């Protein structure tokens, strides 16, 4: 019985881990920027974009989490009932090895579940943050996979980042790799109309046209998916 | 008559440029005359960035370097933009632009690296006075909000539903086990780092019996703990 309990939490974590590894974001899994190695010949400014954004984060496993928490509650109840029974009788439970070991097992099992749940939530958290740093705002398919507290977290995280960037006066969401060119050759994927850029003035971004744009602005739009980088 | 030096000249001949020029003294890639001992802002920024990337814990916020670099970047960008129509010097302008972009990159990476360390070890920094003095005021605020945000997330999804004694973010179990919070992640200060010694440091004790002599110019792979206090003062460099 106790082994069944333990299995759920471990399975939960293992499942998430294999799923995440199978859909690696490419580059770093670390939470903030800094891709591991700039592969210039990759045909893209950001070496290793998502293979399938929809798969990158599995659905928050509400059911499994609930079962884990239920096991925790059951362990706790057993624990408390043992302690209460002994307290009522006025006998010290520490002295009786069979009781002490049972108390210890419940306690440790409880802690193990707690650790696994926290680790699960933490892994998802890191993943969501990595996603946000790599791809700007999360696409709708990923947003659906978040639990409601996670959605709140993402909203507040965006606000925090925006505030910090404004105070620091630096945009931190572009420039993950040392720039090797001043201007990037890009093809427009989404119609953006006429936009103004530093150094070159206005550019009319119709779908299918090819432009030479300043590195920084181009990178931001490439991350958002509106431009396509044409590497030579 | 000699034409007056255009501000776009990189000072290649050692021409005396007016102070408001393209900042040859700071950024000029051709500024060979400056010598190796003058650490200009770009180099300081770069070294600060390298140190921050390689050190396991967060280092002192180099406010003056960051501020100076930021103003310099803004100034350079404006000059590059102003000389957009000057086709005679287009190549120099492009090179200057490339340099500005690279320095912008190192500034951004520096700040991003610090943020990532703050996120990873937020609670630890917050609880420790010495460490929280290394953060800039904006980073401090970011850390505080991040802790609140994270706390709310964990509370909502898991901790609220745990039994009473086990629902803390900091303690594994408040009733049974420890008085001291045992769930706060801390950076590993024993990590080995590569260092290059820039100042003669004499002997350093590395364990009970042995000492190592750190002379200028030596390169070591050494535990971070042992050279911690020298990194900030610049007496060793992380490489």
């Amino acid at each position: 019985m106790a082994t069944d309990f333990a299995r759920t939490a471990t399975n939960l974590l293992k499942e998430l881990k294999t799923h995440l590894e199978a859909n690696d974001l490419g580059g770093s899994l670390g939470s903030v920027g800094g891709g591991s190695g700039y592969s210039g010949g990759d045909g893209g400014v950001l070496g290793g974009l998502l293979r399938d954004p929809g798969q990158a984060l599995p659905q928050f496993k509400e059911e499994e989490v609930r079962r884990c928490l239920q096991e925790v509650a059951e362990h706790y109840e057993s624990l408390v009932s043992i302690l209460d029974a002994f307290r009522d009788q006025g006998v010290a439970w520490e002295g009786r090895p069979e009781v002490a070991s049972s108390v210890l097992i419940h306690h440790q099992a409880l802690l193990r579940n707690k650790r696994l749940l926290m680790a699960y939530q933490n892994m998802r958290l890191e993943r969501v943050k990595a996603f946000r740093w790599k791809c700007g705002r999360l696409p709708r398919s990923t947003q659906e996979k978040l639990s409601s507290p996670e959605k709140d977290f993402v909203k507040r995280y965006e606000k925090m980042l925006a505030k910090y960037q404004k105070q620091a006066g630096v945009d931190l969401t572009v420039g993950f790799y040392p720039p090797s060119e001043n201007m990037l050759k890009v093809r427009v994927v989404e119609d953006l109309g006429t936009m103004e850029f530093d150094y070159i003035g206005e550019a009319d971004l119709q779908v299918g046209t090819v432009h030479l744009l300043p590195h920084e602005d181009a990178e931001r739009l490439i991350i958002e998916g509106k431009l396509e980088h044409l590497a030579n | 008559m000699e034409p007056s030096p255009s501000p776009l000249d990189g000072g290649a001949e050692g021409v005396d440029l007016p102070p408001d020029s393209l900042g040859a003294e700071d950024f000029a890639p051709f500024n060979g005359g400056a010598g190796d001992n003058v650490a200009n802002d770009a180099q300081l920024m770069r070294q600060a960035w390298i140190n921050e990337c390689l050190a396991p814990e967060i280092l002192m916020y180099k406010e003056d370097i960051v501020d100076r670099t930021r103003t310099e970047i803004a100034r350079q960008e404006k000059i590059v933009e102003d000389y957009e129509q000057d086709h005679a010097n287009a190549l120099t302008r492009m090179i200057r632009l490339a340099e500005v972009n690279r320095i912008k990159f190192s500034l951004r990476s520096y700040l991003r690296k610090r943020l990532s360390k703050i996120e990873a070890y937020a609670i630890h920094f917050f609880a420790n006075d010495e460490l929280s003095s290394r953060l800039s005021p904006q980073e401090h605020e970011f850390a505080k909000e991040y802790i609140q945000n994270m706390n709310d997330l964990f509370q909502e999804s898991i901790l609220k539903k745990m039994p009473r004694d086990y629902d803390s973010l900091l303690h594994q179990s408040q009733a049974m086990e420890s008085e001291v919070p045992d769930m706060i992640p801390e950076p590993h200060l024993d990590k080995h780092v590569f260092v290059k010694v820039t100042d003669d440091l004499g002997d350093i004790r590395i364990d009970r019996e042995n000492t190592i002599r750190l002379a200028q110019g030596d390169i070591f792979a050494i535990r971070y703990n042992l050279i911690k206090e020298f990194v900030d003062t610049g007496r060793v460099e992380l490489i």
Side-chain angles (χ1 to χ4, degrees):
Chain A
M1 185 183 70
T3 40
D4 275 345
F5 292 164
R7 221 173 278 144
T8 316
T10 325
N11 281 345
L12 181 61
L13 198 56
K14 228 190 279 181
E15 202 181 301
L16 179 65
K17 193 154 171 282
T18 26
H19 195 113
L20 291 181
E21 280 162 4
N23 287 285
D24 202 346
L25 276 176
S28 68
L29 262 186
S31 56
V32 178
S36 55
Y38 176 49
S39 44
D42 218 329
V45 171
L46 309 174
L49 289 174
L50 288 171
R51 269 178 246 140
D52 181 4
Q55 288 300 309
L57 190 70
Q59 182 74 29
F60 186 79
K61 297 261 193 287
E62 298 274 358
E63 181 56 32
E64 274 80 346
V65 170
R66 198 188 56 78
R67 273 183 21 220
C68 271
L69 288 169
Q70 189 187 354
E71 291 162 13
V72 165
E74 288 172 10
H75 277 298
Y76 187 66
E77 271 177 46
S78 319
L79 194 57
V80 165
S81 65
I82 295 179
L83 294 183
D84 280 345
F86 274 83
R87 193 165 7 118
D88 291 342
Q89 293 178 16
V91 181
W93 59 266
E94 290 94 334
R96 307 262 293 273
E98 69 275 15
V99 180
S101 59
S102 140
V103 165
L104 192 64
I105 288 180
H106 281 299
H107 171 66
Q108 289 297 338
L110 213 161
L111 281 187
R112 181 174 180 274
N113 272 15
K114 177 177 180 181
R115 275 198 299 273
L116 288 175
L117 283 174
M118 300 285 272
Y120 175 67
Q121 181 67 76
N122 202 29
M123 266 179 110
R124 287 181 65 89
L125 179 67
E126 294 295 321
R127 193 66 177 193
V128 166
K129 282 197 297 186
F131 215 131
R132 195 252 161 236
W133 277 98
K134 270 282 198 251
C135 320
R137 241 192 342 239
L138 304 176
R140 174 85 35 95
S141 54
T142 317
Q143 286 207 357
E144 292 167 358
K145 309 272 176 60
L146 301 177
S147 69
S148 133
E150 287 174 344
K151 290 193 186 127
D152 288 338
F153 177 85
V154 168
K155 266 200 288 247
R156 285 163 69 179
Y157 188 67
E158 288 280 342
K159 271 210 311 228
M160 269 172 24
L161 269 187
K163 186 164 115 181
Y164 179 79
Q165 286 181 90
K166 201 163 79 142
Q167 287 172 336
V170 182
D171 183 359
L172 294 179
T173 54
V174 290
F176 290 108
Y177 301 99
S180 56
E181 299 149 339
N182 277 341
M183 312 278 266
L184 294 178
K185 194 159 98 174
V186 291
R187 178 185 293 132
V188 184
V189 169
E190 240 177 71
D191 190 11
L192 294 166
T194 318
M195 286 183 71
E196 187 160 329
F197 297 100
D198 304 328
Y199 316 124
I200 58 171
E202 280 186 1
D204 191 15
L205 300 174
Q206 301 288 337
V207 181
T209 50
V210 175
H211 295 274
L212 206 61
L213 297 181
H215 184 98
E216 197 176 310
D217 302 306
E219 199 179 329
R220 191 175 308 124
L221 293 170
I222 291 174
I223 295 177
E224 290 176 10
K226 303 201 170 108
L227 296 179
E228 183 191 330
H229 176 54
L230 302 170
N232 291 333
Chain B
M1 194 184 90
E2 223 181 50
S4 57
S6 152
L8 281 173
D9 273 344
E13 337 279 347
V15 171
D16 248 350
L17 295 171
D20 215 355
S21 72
L22 281 183
E25 61 279 359
D26 285 326
F27 284 156
F30 328 97
N31 198 359
D36 302 78
N37 298 330
V38 176
N40 59 40
D41 278 346
Q43 283 169 349
L44 287 176
M45 183 81 245
R46 188 168 169 269
Q47 189 57 47
W49 166 59
I50 291 177
N51 279 352
E52 197 70 55
C53 280
L54 297 173
E57 58 172 1
I58 203 167
L59 302 171
M60 198 72 200
Y61 180 63
K62 301 269 195 273
E63 184 165 3
D64 45 349
I65 299 183
V66 171
D67 283 342
R68 286 204 310 261
T69 311
R70 241 208 324 259
T71 15
E72 194 61 36
I73 287 176
R75 200 163 70 88
Q76 294 292 326
E77 282 187 317
K78 184 167 184 311
I79 293 180
V80 169
E81 204 165 319
D82 285 345
Y83 281 85
E84 187 184 326
Q85 300 306 324
D86 186 354
H87 295 292
N89 283 305
L91 179 63
T92 326
R93 178 173 158 260
M94 278 292 124
I95 295 177
R96 202 156 292 288
L97 180 58
E99 181 99 15
V100 169
N101 275 337
R102 289 191 154 262
I103 292 173
K104 253 168 60 171
F105 165 78
S106 66
L107 174 65
R108 285 194 176 125
S109 199
Y110 175 72
L111 292 175
R112 267 201 297 260
K113 190 70 193 171
R114 289 181 66 91
L115 276 193
S116 81
K117 282 188 191 170
I118 291 175
E119 286 182 358
Y121 306 121
I123 304 179
H124 179 241
F125 287 159
F126 221 69
N128 185 325
D129 278 337
E130 200 264 321
L131 289 179
S132 57
S133 70
R134 297 189 194 172
L135 306 177
S136 74
Q138 301 94 342
E139 289 174 343
H140 208 251
E141 212 176 310
F142 182 86
K144 200 159 66 159
E145 285 179 357
Y146 186 75
I147 294 177
Q148 275 169 353
N149 207 357
M150 220 182 43
N151 189 31
D152 286 345
L153 173 65
F154 279 104
Q155 287 286 344
E156 279 302 317
S157 56
I158 298 176
L159 294 177
K160 242 177 26 177
K161 308 173 190 167
M162 301 280 286
R164 208 173 356 116
D165 285 327
Y166 295 87
D167 64 354
S168 149
L169 188 66
L170 305 178
H171 296 255
Q172 287 203 60
S173 148
Q174 275 166 310
M176 288 265 213
E177 297 216 347
S178 43
E179 296 298 322
V180 179
D182 54 0
M183 274 174 61
I184 306 179
E186 286 184 10
H188 296 288
L189 297 180
D190 269 345
K191 205 174 87 146
H192 278 81
V193 288
F194 282 93
V195 297
K196 177 170 169 182
V197 185
T198 46
D199 267 347
D200 206 356
L201 291 174
D203 289 324
I204 303 280
R205 177 161 296 281
I206 54 169
D207 59 30
R208 255 172 297 131
E209 293 121 18
N210 305 324
T211 58
I212 282 197
R213 174 162 204 85
L214 296 180
Q216 183 176 12
D218 284 348
I219 296 185
F220 281 98
I222 197 171
R223 285 208 307 269
Y224 179 75
N225 249 329
L226 298 169
I227 45 98
K228 199 161 64 148
E229 52 271 355
F230 301 121
V231 173
D232 246 350
T233 46
R235 301 178 77 192
V236 310
E237 276 176 3
L238 298 179
I239 52 174

